Amino acid sequence: MGAGSSILDRLDETIVLSPEERILLESVRGLASDCIAPAAERYDRTGEFPSENVAAINALGLNAMFVPEVFGGTPLSYTCYLAAVRLISAACAATGIIWATNFHAMKPLVDFGTQEQKVRLLPRIAAGGLAALAITEPQAGSDATAMTTRFTPDGDHVVVNGGKVFITNGDVADLLLVFGKWTGIDDPRAAITALIVEKGTPGFDILRTEEKLGIRASSTAALAFADCRVPRANLLGAPGAGLKLLLASLNTSRPSVAAHALGIARAAFEDAVTYVNERKQGGRRVIENQGIQFLLADMATDLALAEAWLWHVGRLVDAGASDFAVEASMLKLRASDVAMRIATDAVQLHGGYGYCRDFRVERLFRDAKITQIWEGTNQIHRQFIGRSFLER
Ligand SMILES: Cc1cc2nc3c(=O)[nH]c(=O)nc-3n(C[C@H](O)[C@H](O)[C@H](O)COP(=O)(O)OP(=O)(O)OC[C@H]3O[C@@H](n4cnc5c(N)ncnc54)[C@H](O)[C@@H]3O)c2cc1C
């Protein structure tokens, strides 16, 4: 075993976690290796929703870690949550994002919901319910403020009309946090409002689920709302308060999608190291060529630095920081670029075998691509980070 192989493990040992969190993460590690990883190839091939994985995650009670105790949860640190996302995603990126989406969608309810809403809705999530976060529309992707879904007040109800696309868990979620515009507020940004729609509400339909390049077992749904009447009690925040909520929710979901990307990157890196140590060509192991060592050096260095920044952002959030949007954006940008590059290089290091399904790197390569696209494309993140240095 080379000295370099312990670098990433040593970095993991520096993650700030309580003894209870370490024990829980050991259980997550066991679940990932014994149950989730072995099924990943099958779920990728069939594109079937990994219900067994979701059930196993719920048997460990993992949703409870992001729900406050009074609402049925067992809260743990954000760092612990990120570490769990990374472990599950390394085993199966589709399952990792399904679970992480529960957090992305429900964190705004935890942070901005009324007591009544939390008492009514959060125990369902703590007990293992699925959630979805619905922002994107056909004409409103990078510019979410262009959304046209309408929320029209009608007595004790809000009437929803419009549609969403690309919604992770959209067809399976028990609760959907949906963003739309409040009828009667003209300013397009000030009109954005958040509403929780419950599964089975009349007027809410699933139009289709997408056939995808990667994360194939996670469902990505197009949703339609036609005169869908939702109790006004499900409004999250005041009419027009949605943009603030949306930005706050992205701040905590972006590190989480970075953890997902770094799970993929770590798996691809480990597979590549194993392979070039075993594969022989020209009478020696592939790793003995200096050109291959240079490639591994760059992969390892980029991965270690991105992981270190993941735990830095985790610490910021756990310390109660409120303004970490640029750090979160830098993390999402770099983690996803690193994941794509490491997965690409890992395929290269497997030669022709890396291009075939017999090896996991083929799947990791396809799974990595989405990480550069969602939660703000990397073009948008570069703009946001660069603009933060603009003196006004
Ligand atoms: C598998 C999957 C799961 C998803 N899950 C969810 C989900 O759960 N909830 C949800 O709400 N959304 C989800 N999305 C949507 C995702 O966040 C959007 O696809 C993403 O924000 C980009 O929007 P778009 O696809 O409309 O691309 P566009 O915004 O049309 O972008 C097209 C290209 O133009 C570039 N571009 C756009 N604007 C600019 C600009 N101002 N400057 C420079 N370049 C620009 C982009 O970077 C991109 O390269 C998901 C998408 C996928 C594919």
Side-chain angles (χ1 to χ4, degrees), residues 142-145 189 243 247 250-251 254 325-327 329-330 333 376-392:
S142 294
D143 178 14
T145 63
R189 295 169 75 86
L243 191 58
L247 296 176
L250 291 175
N251 278 350
R254 285 172 174 164
V326 178
E327 285 92 337
S329 199
M330 291 164 84
L333 167 68
T377 67
N378 284 4
Q379 282 77 22
I380 296 300
H381 284 286
R382 284 190 168 84
Q383 280 178 16
F384 175 67
I385 297 161
R387 210 170 46 223
S388 73
F389 295 99
L390 184 72
E391 291 180 7
R392 295 177 197 281

Side-chain angles (χ1 to χ4, degrees), residues 214-332:
I215 53 154
R216 287 176 35 76
S218 83
S219 56
T220 307
L223 316 177
F225 299 94
D227 288 332
C228 174
R229 292 175 70 78
V230 177
R232 202 178 162 117
N234 280 14
L235 259 186
L236 195 56
L243 191 58
K244 182 177 140 229
L245 244 118
L246 178 67
L247 296 176
S249 97
L250 291 175
N251 278 350
T252 46
S253 60
R254 285 172 174 164
S256 161
V257 298
H260 174 262
L262 291 174
I264 297 171
R266 183 77 166 257
F269 177 72
E270 288 175 356
D271 284 8
V273 170
T274 302
Y275 190 78
V276 294
N277 269 287
E278 286 171 5
R279 175 76 171 165
K280 282 193 177 145
Q281 284 297 288
R284 59 181 182 170
R285 293 180 298 164
V286 168
I287 194 171
E288 290 173 47
N289 296 290
Q290 193 183 49
I292 299 299
Q293 292 166 7
F294 283 179
L295 198 60
L296 287 181
D298 286 334
M299 291 163 84
T301 306
D302 287 351
L303 182 56
L305 294 181
E307 288 190 354
W309 193 252
L310 175 71
W311 309 126
H312 167 68
V313 174
R315 277 193 302 273
L316 281 182
V317 176
D318 284 327
S322 56
D323 182 12
F324 57 93
V326 178
E327 285 92 337
S329 199
M330 291 164 84
L331 173 60
K332 190 276 176 186

Side-chain angles (χ1 to χ4, degrees), residues 111-274:
D111 288 346
F112 300 100
T114 63
Q115 181 74 6
E116 184 280 324
Q117 289 172 330
K118 293 190 217 185
V119 168
R120 181 160 53 88
L121 301 171
L122 281 178
R124 285 160 66 177
I125 299 301
L130 289 165
L133 176 64
I135 304 167
T136 306
E137 297 183 5
Q139 304 307 327
S142 294
D143 178 14
T145 63
M147 66 177 68
T148 57
T149 293
R150 280 269 141 220
F151 293 166
T152 308
D154 182 18
D156 286 345
H157 285 81
V158 177
V159 182
V160 184
N161 279 292
K164 297 284 173 185
V165 287
F166 296 144
I167 306 308
T168 303
N169 292 352
D171 57 329
V172 288
D174 299 286
L175 300 176
L176 297 96
L177 178 57
V178 180
F179 286 82
K181 286 190 176 156
W182 193 258
T183 300
I185 303 179
D186 294 334
D187 182 309
R189 295 169 75 86
I192 295 175
T193 302
L195 182 70
I196 293 173
V197 178
E198 298 176 53
K199 188 180 198 163
T201 306
F204 162 44
D205 284 311
I206 316 300
L207 293 183
R208 63 174 186 278
T209 53
E210 309 295 346
E211 274 291 330
K212 304 191 297 295
L213 173 73
I215 53 154
R216 287 176 35 76
S218 83
S219 56
T220 307
L223 316 177
F225 299 94
D227 288 332
C228 174
R229 292 175 70 78
V230 177
R232 202 178 162 117
N234 280 14
L235 259 186
L236 195 56
L243 191 58
K244 182 177 140 229
L245 244 118
L246 178 67
L247 296 176
S249 97
L250 291 175
N251 278 350
T252 46
S253 60
R254 285 172 174 164
S256 161
V257 298
H260 174 262
L262 291 174
I264 297 171
R266 183 77 166 257
F269 177 72
E270 288 175 356
D271 284 8
V273 170
T274 302

Side-chain angles (χ1 to χ4, degrees), residues 4-172:
S5 56
S6 62
I7 294 286
L8 295 170
D9 292 337
R10 285 213 296 272
L11 181 60
D12 283 354
E13 283 162 21
T14 67
I15 306 172
V16 179
L17 295 164
S18 69
E20 296 74 30
E21 289 173 338
R22 286 197 183 276
I23 292 167
L24 179 84
L25 285 175
E26 273 316 301
S27 305
V28 176
R29 192 184 300 280
L31 173 76
S33 64
D34 301 346
C35 164
I36 296 177
E41 186 275 331
R42 172 170 58 86
Y43 281 124
D44 173 62
R45 188 169 22 85
T46 61
E48 184 194 330
F49 186 79
S51 305
E52 289 163 24
N53 290 348
V54 172
I57 285 172
N58 288 335
L60 263 190
L62 294 192
N63 275 8
M65 81 164 72
F66 46 76
V67 175
E69 208 163 350
V70 280
F71 308 115
T74 319
L76 298 175
S77 68
Y78 185 64
T79 298
C80 179
Y81 162 73
L82 293 177
V85 172
R86 189 179 61 143
L87 280 173
I88 296 171
S89 304
C92 172
T95 304
I97 202 62
I98 291 166
W99 181 59
T101 299
N102 296 334
F103 171 81
H104 303 167
M106 289 298 110
K107 180 79 167 94
L109 174 59
V110 172
D111 288 346
F112 300 100
T114 63
Q115 181 74 6
E116 184 280 324
Q117 289 172 330
K118 293 190 217 185
V119 168
R120 181 160 53 88
L121 301 171
L122 281 178
R124 285 160 66 177
I125 299 301
L130 289 165
L133 176 64
I135 304 167
T136 306
E137 297 183 5
Q139 304 307 327
S142 294
D143 178 14
T145 63
M147 66 177 68
T148 57
T149 293
R150 280 269 141 220
F151 293 166
T152 308
D154 182 18
D156 286 345
H157 285 81
V158 177
V159 182
V160 184
N161 279 292
K164 297 284 173 185
V165 287
F166 296 144
I167 306 308
T168 303
N169 292 352
D171 57 329
V172 288

